[in-house]
Amino acid sequence: MTFQLAIVLYPGMTVLDAIGPYEVLRTLPDSELRFVSNEVGPVVSDSGVLALGATHTFAETPAPDLVLVGGSEASTTEAMANKELIEWLRAVHPGTQWTTSVCSGALILAAADILRGHPATTHWAAQPALAAFGAESRPHDRIVRSGKIVTAAGVSAGIDLGLWLVGEIAGEEYAQLTQLGIEYDPHPPFDTGHPDKASPELLRKARLDMTKRAANPRIPLDVATAVWRLTLHRIRDRAAARR
């Protein structure tokens, strides 16, 4: 049986969140990989220059075995307010073998009420938002597993997530072969890849820079829409359970 992987695309997303895991997961044997979105076609990333191609719609992908949702600097909240995406996540999650996220994609899972009661991680700047959706923030963990839900920290952690998943799906040796094949042997020139390792001044500048780049007047409205929709879903679920 073919193992189907669905990587979510939406306008303004960060490309590496999707492409990092894609380069690792695409080698899985007996698998079919899809880039899914509201409609088939190009999806422009947060750079405004690079686009990825959605190969299938959400409606065409009703039963994926693995779902992966990436994040964005400025468009995460718009994705959280994307009714079709959120309802698709809620519909497919019960049938997945793995439901996963990279970076602030965790907040999109949270908006679909998937992370409530679960430990999770996300980009360090987005960690405080997890609690608003009932998730337990794990800011010092690069990958957090809770049952079949697996969340990864910011951007580059998607490669680690991909390798971890390959190890779980195809075995440790296959994951090691995959790592060797892509020569994933990071030796960064600087050791400031986590807030714990950065100076207070560097962290202040990073926060200021991200705030400027993420400036979006729609963010308060999109967050409110996501929370309101989530609350209504919970009310409906409770009512259905009493019938």
Side-chain angles (χ1 to χ4, degrees), residues 6 11 52 60 89 104 107 109 118 203:
L52 298 177
E60 292 171 334
L89 287 172
S104 61
L107 299 184
L109 294 184
H118 292 276
L203 188 58

Side-chain angles (χ1 to χ4, degrees), residues 106-126:
L107 299 184
I108 300 171
L109 294 184
D113 208 20
I114 290 172
L115 297 187
R116 180 161 45 117
H118 292 276
T121 191
T122 183
H123 189 281
W124 57 265

Side-chain angles (χ1 to χ4, degrees), residues 106-107 110 115 119-122 126-139 151:
L107 299 184
L115 297 187
T121 191
T122 183
Q127 292 283 347
L130 286 173
F133 292 92
E136 176 192 340
S137 173
R138 293 282 182 84
T151 53

Side-chain angles (χ1 to χ4, degrees), residues 1-3 30-31 65:
M1 183 178 294
T2 301
F3 186 86
D30 302 318
S31 65
D65 297 292

Side-chain angles (χ1 to χ4, degrees), residues 1-240:
M1 183 178 294
T2 301
F3 186 86
Q4 188 179 94
L5 306 94
I7 298 178
V8 172
L9 301 183
Y10 55 88
M13 70 174 296
T14 299
V15 169
L16 188 58
D17 287 10
I19 294 301
Y22 159 79
E23 284 294 342
V24 178
L25 294 167
R26 71 185 181 92
T27 66
L28 280 172
D30 302 318
S31 65
E32 178 207 2
L33 197 148
R34 299 182 172 196
F35 285 109
V36 298
S37 192
N38 294 73
E39 58 185 37
V40 172
V43 180
V44 180
S45 68
D46 53 5
S47 69
V49 177
L50 184 60
L52 298 177
T55 60
H56 295 78
T57 65
F58 297 128
E60 292 171 334
T61 313
D65 297 292
L66 186 152
V67 169
L68 187 143
V69 184
S72 168
E73 279 190 318
S75 299
T76 302
T77 58
E78 293 179 32
M80 292 165 67
N82 182 332
K83 182 179 179 180
E84 186 177 1
L85 167 57
I86 297 304
E87 291 187 351
W88 177 79
L89 287 172
R90 286 174 56 87
V92 302
H93 171 61
T96 63
Q97 293 185 35
W98 299 101
T99 299
T100 71
S101 67
V102 180
C103 199
S104 61
L107 299 184
I108 300 171
L109 294 184
D113 208 20
I114 290 172
L115 297 187
R116 180 161 45 117
H118 292 276
T121 191
T122 183
H123 189 281
W124 57 265
Q127 292 283 347
L130 286 173
F133 292 92
E136 176 192 340
S137 173
R138 293 282 182 84
H140 302 290
D141 295 339
R142 193 156 174 85
I143 295 175
V144 175
R145 176 184 182 178
S146 182
K148 68 174 184 177
I149 300 170
V150 191
T151 53
V155 193
S156 64
I159 299 175
D160 300 55
L161 173 64
L163 287 169
W164 187 92
L165 288 167
V166 170
E168 292 293 310
I169 296 165
E172 186 174 304
E173 183 180 61
Y174 195 90
Q176 291 174 344
L177 287 169
T178 302
Q179 181 175 357
L180 180 59
I182 64 171
E183 200 170 347
Y184 182 55
D185 185 31
H187 289 76
F190 309 103
D191 192 23
T192 55
H194 189 274
D196 291 345
K197 299 179 177 181
S199 69
E201 178 61 15
L202 191 65
L203 188 58
R204 184 191 67 80
K205 289 181 178 179
R207 290 187 186 279
L208 180 61
D209 183 57
M210 283 189 293
T211 299
K212 289 179 179 178
R213 284 185 287 172
N216 183 340
R218 283 192 54 84
I219 285 178
L221 176 60
D222 290 332
V223 171
T225 299
V227 174
W228 176 239
R229 186 172 291 135
L230 177 57
T231 301
L232 291 177
H233 275 302
R234 290 178 180 174
I235 292 171
R236 287 166 57 91
D237 288 346
R238 285 196 295 268

